[in-house]
Amino acid sequence: MAKKKAEKKDGSQKDAITHLGELIHGIKVAMMTTVESDGSLRSRPMWTHDRDFDGELWFFTREHSAKVGEVEHDHHVNLSYAEPGKDHFVSVSGRCRLVLDKEKARELWNPSLKAWFPDGLEDPELALLCVKVEKAEYWDTADSRMVQLIGF
Amino acid sequence: MAKKKAEKKDGSQKDAITHLGELIHGIKVAMMTTVESDGSLRSRPMWTHDRDFDGELWFFTREHSAKVGEVEHDHHVNLSYAEPGKDHFVSVSGRCRLVLDKEKARELWNPSLKAWFPDGLEDPELALLCVKVEKAEYWDTADSRMVQLIGF
Ligand SMILES: Cc1cc2nc3c(=O)[nH]c(=O)nc-3n(C[C@H](O)[C@H](O)[C@H](O)COP(=O)(O)O)c2cc1C
């Protein structure tokens, strides 16, 4: 598999970021991996908020949940997006922080989140996680390459 | 979403382990997350060797590759298996070690691996990664539950 590094925001880097955003929004559900206090790595499916990709990815969470404790202890997370049937795979490395901001929650809220948050915006446990992307790679057999994006 | 803990190998635990094996082998490609020396988390797609699931998962790798350096520095890995179309998601937490064993490689070799290792068993870089599973969880909307399995 050819490997392509694009470290500057030149034309191909911009294309790669656009394509990364398309892959992420095409798959939508990330497996978010966090570090537990004993060093174990856990992941769980998380619905990615749909908006133009600008180097941050947003998720809804319960404020008091295992993953929030984990990211408060160690901010590093990995988001993997996989669609094996299409041979699409994305790895996003970043840092995650808890955001308690009802205004922002209102802006990002999407009714399809009702499955996990039946009380919607009224839920006092409703909170946000924001992942600042530091590095991303994708595998996309259509053009069979792996791209590293460094320095958003 | 109902959550079920099964910490002993009773009947339902055995069923859950069998089902976990079925989910993993149905999806096959894991995103393997490792810890870089600066604490960042990276993941990449890895083809899971297909055999009865007994608490270990095996992968082929190049001996000199970033992920091998990462697991030698920190053994913890997460394997996530995701098939968003079917709403199947699996998180496996475990420890990973490099295994240099030509005999074992011969036993596990599968011609479909030629895509990544064109020289096959003759490739001097061919090596194995063995993940000892410590904890696993799966989300399987067929019965809309999340199951945690601890202590293989
Ligand atoms: C398809 C899918 C999407 C999910 N999306 C979210 C989500 O956006 N936010 C969330 O908190 N939990 C979501 N969940 C539930 C989580 O995967 C997880 O079970 C829950 O958040 C508790 O995780 P924790 O104990 O690791 O904190 C989703 C589950 C599935 C199956």
Side-chain angles (χ1 to χ4, degrees):
Chain A
M1 195 177 283
K3 182 167 166 173
K4 199 183 162 227
K5 282 206 191 197
E7 301 194 9
K8 280 183 299 182
K9 281 193 187 165
D10 56 11
S12 78
Q13 170 81 343
K14 269 199 212 123
D15 292 350
I17 293 176
T18 305
H19 190 50
L20 181 71
E22 287 164 0
L23 286 171
I24 288 175
H25 292 307
I27 300 176
K28 280 201 177 62
V29 180
M31 287 297 276
M32 177 186 282
T33 305
T34 51
V35 184
E36 288 186 279
S37 54
D38 68 354
S40 310
L41 304 184
R42 286 181 70 200
S43 64
R44 76 283 290 154
M46 294 286 283
W47 187 267
T48 308
H49 179 72
D50 208 353
R51 52 171 219 162
D52 282 351
F53 177 58
D54 61 358
E56 284 183 346
L57 293 166
W58 289 82
F59 302 86
F60 279 87
T61 183
R62 298 184 67 76
E63 185 182 342
H64 296 95
S65 61
K67 72 182 107 32
V68 170
E70 287 154 20
V71 304
E72 296 208 310
H73 179 260
D74 182 337
H75 294 305
H76 293 101
V77 297
N78 182 270
L79 302 167
S80 68
Y81 294 85
E83 191 154 348
K86 289 193 186 158
D87 256 326
H88 286 174
F89 303 95
V90 177
S91 164
V92 172
S93 308
R95 282 172 206 248
C96 185
R97 66 179 203 280
L98 179 69
V99 178
L100 301 175
D101 179 338
K102 289 286 169 203
E103 200 73 1
K104 188 80 186 168
R106 208 178 315 275
E107 180 197 320
L108 300 182
W109 178 255
N110 180 319
S112 62
L113 288 159
K114 284 250 171 186
W116 299 284
F117 305 99
D119 297 334
L121 289 162
E122 302 312 312
D123 187 337
E125 271 290 317
L126 195 72
L128 293 162
L129 289 171
C130 174
V131 176
K132 177 123 193 47
V133 178
E134 293 178 330
K135 201 164 57 183
E137 298 166 65
Y138 62 78
W139 293 257
D140 179 351
T141 38
D143 55 2
S144 223
R145 67 182 185 169
M146 192 262 268
V147 177
Q148 284 196 329
L149 307 172
I150 298 170
F152 280 81
Chain B
M1 191 177 287
K3 183 167 165 174
K4 198 182 162 230
K5 282 207 191 197
E7 300 195 9
K8 281 183 296 178
K9 281 192 187 166
D10 57 11
S12 78
Q13 169 81 343
K14 268 198 213 126
D15 291 351
I17 292 177
T18 305
H19 189 51
L20 180 71
E22 286 164 1
L23 286 171
I24 288 175
H25 292 308
I27 300 175
K28 279 202 177 61
V29 181
M31 288 297 275
M32 178 187 282
T33 304
T34 51
V35 186
E36 288 187 280
S37 54
D38 69 354
S40 310
L41 304 185
R42 286 180 70 198
S43 63
R44 75 286 289 156
M46 296 284 283
W47 187 267
T48 309
H49 179 72
D50 208 353
R51 52 171 217 162
D52 283 351
F53 176 59
D54 61 358
E56 285 182 347
L57 293 165
W58 290 83
F59 302 87
F60 280 87
T61 183
R62 299 185 68 75
E63 185 181 342
H64 296 94
S65 60
K67 73 184 110 26
V68 170
E70 286 154 21
V71 302
E72 296 208 310
H73 179 262
D74 183 336
H75 295 306
H76 294 99
V77 298
N78 183 270
L79 301 168
S80 68
Y81 294 84
E83 190 153 348
K86 290 193 186 158
D87 256 324
H88 286 175
F89 303 93
V90 177
S91 164
V92 172
S93 308
R95 282 172 205 246
C96 185
R97 66 179 204 280
L98 179 69
V99 178
L100 301 174
D101 179 339
K102 288 287 168 201
E103 199 74 0
K104 188 78 185 170
R106 207 178 315 276
E107 179 198 321
L108 300 181
W109 179 256
N110 179 319
S112 63
L113 289 159
K114 284 249 170 186
W116 300 282
F117 305 99
D119 297 334
L121 290 163
E122 302 311 311
D123 187 336
E125 272 290 317
L126 194 73
L128 293 163
L129 289 170
C130 174
V131 176
K132 176 123 194 47
V133 179
E134 294 178 329
K135 200 163 58 183
E137 297 167 67
Y138 63 78
W139 294 255
D140 179 351
T141 38
D143 54 3
S144 222
R145 66 179 188 168
M146 191 263 269
V147 178
Q148 286 195 327
L149 306 171
I150 299 169
F152 281 80

